[in-house]
């Protein structure tokens, strides 16, 4: 495995840990994700936007995302 590939894997592992430790109502902004993971701003923003699309996060503004509850029961 190359150095860059290993560094990216480690960054994604750190971002995953950060996200898994979030509780409902916890907020994370893109800058915090970048600092914690070492990944680029674009990568962190893309990951947070993807989590918004699948319903795990709400987007408050361009840089801030809030963990939301999962809708486990159908309506």
């Amino acid at each position: 495995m190359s150095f860059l590939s290993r560094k990216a894997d480690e960054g994604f592992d750190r971002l995953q840990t950060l996200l898994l430790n979030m509780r409902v109502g916890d907020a994370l902004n893109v800058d915090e994700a970048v600092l914690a993971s070492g990944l680029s701003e674009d990568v962190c923003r893309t990951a947070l936007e993807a989590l918004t699309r699948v319903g795990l996060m709400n987007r408050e503004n361009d840089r801030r995302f809030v963990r939301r509850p999962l809708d486990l029961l159908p309506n």
Side-chain angles (χ1 to χ4, degrees):
M1 181 182 295
S2 75
F3 172 76
L4 291 177
S5 179
R6 189 170 42 250
K7 186 170 174 68
D9 285 347
E10 291 168 358
F12 280 112
D13 288 344
R14 287 189 297 271
L15 182 60
Q16 179 182 28
T17 298
L18 177 67
L19 294 168
L20 288 173
N21 286 323
M22 291 181 77
R23 303 286 181 240
V24 172
D26 287 350
L28 178 67
N29 70 44
V30 175
D31 296 328
E32 292 167 336
V34 168
L35 286 173
S37 69
L39 298 169
S40 73
E41 182 175 326
D42 288 339
V43 168
C44 291
R45 181 187 311 283
T46 299
L48 292 168
E49 288 172 349
L51 292 171
T52 299
R53 284 193 300 278
V54 298
L56 189 63
M57 306 287 274
N58 284 330
R59 187 176 189 160
E60 284 192 346
N61 60 41
D62 187 45
R63 303 190 71 76
R64 184 177 164 93
F65 296 80
V66 178
R67 174 71 166 81
R68 65 176 299 253
L70 295 176
D71 297 326
L72 298 177
L73 301 175
N75 292 328

